[in-house]
Amino acid sequence: MLSVITCPERSAADLSGLLSDLVPGAVSGLIRDVFVLEPEHGDPEMAALCEDAGALVVSGGLAVAVRQARSDLILLASSGLRLDAFALDRLGRDLTALGTPGLARGLALTGPAVLGFWSPGPPLGLVTPRARLLGLPPGCSLAAALRQSSRGAPKLRIAG
């Protein structure tokens, strides 16, 4: 089971696609809980969207959300991450196959290759043990944690 932590990068509209993509994962039992980091400015539209989706809005930053998560595996997700039913199923199978020892470095979720290059696109998400995130510096943003923690992690292309 996964706890998902995300942050609206621009507006509530960016977040709505990700939250709706996570619903089948919650129904299947892959996703246990979802946390949305509160932006600096309060956004009533975002709060209503999170409430409708069953996501909890967390103030205080990434470290607070990591401590509140109920699962030992955390999915850091940019609001641009899209997980259709096929990607959720593949993610669930890969997590089962890797097991806890195989996830020590995490599993980076990437999009399609950039401009046709062979390397995958930048990480859109990262599944990692909670213990790896507890060592992040205070005030670390979700985007910085995603970049930093996904270095050296095996990659799973989930889109494109």
Side-chain angles (χ1 to χ4, degrees), residues 21 23 28 30-32 77 82 84 98 100 116 121 132 151-152:
D21 286 353
V23 170
S28 72
L30 177 64
I31 296 170
R32 187 171 191 178
R82 291 298 173 260
D84 61 17
L98 285 171
T100 304
R132 281 190 76 204
R151 290 188 191 125

Side-chain angles (χ1 to χ4, degrees), residues 61-146:
L62 181 59
V64 173
V66 169
R67 285 192 302 273
Q68 288 183 4
R70 296 185 322 187
S71 179
D72 287 332
L73 280 179
I74 308 287
L75 168 57
L76 295 179
S78 73
S79 60
L81 178 66
R82 291 298 173 260
L83 294 167
D84 61 17
F86 176 76
L88 282 168
D89 182 59
R90 183 172 175 204
L91 176 60
R93 284 185 284 121
D94 282 13
L95 292 177
T96 301
L98 285 171
T100 304
L103 287 169
R105 292 183 326 191
L107 179 64
L109 307 179
T110 66
V114 178
L115 301 176
F117 293 113
W118 292 101
S119 64
L124 299 171
L126 175 73
V127 176
T128 190
R130 175 201 310 262
R132 281 190 76 204
L133 299 175
L134 291 174
L136 291 171
C140 184
S141 71
L142 186 117
L146 185 57

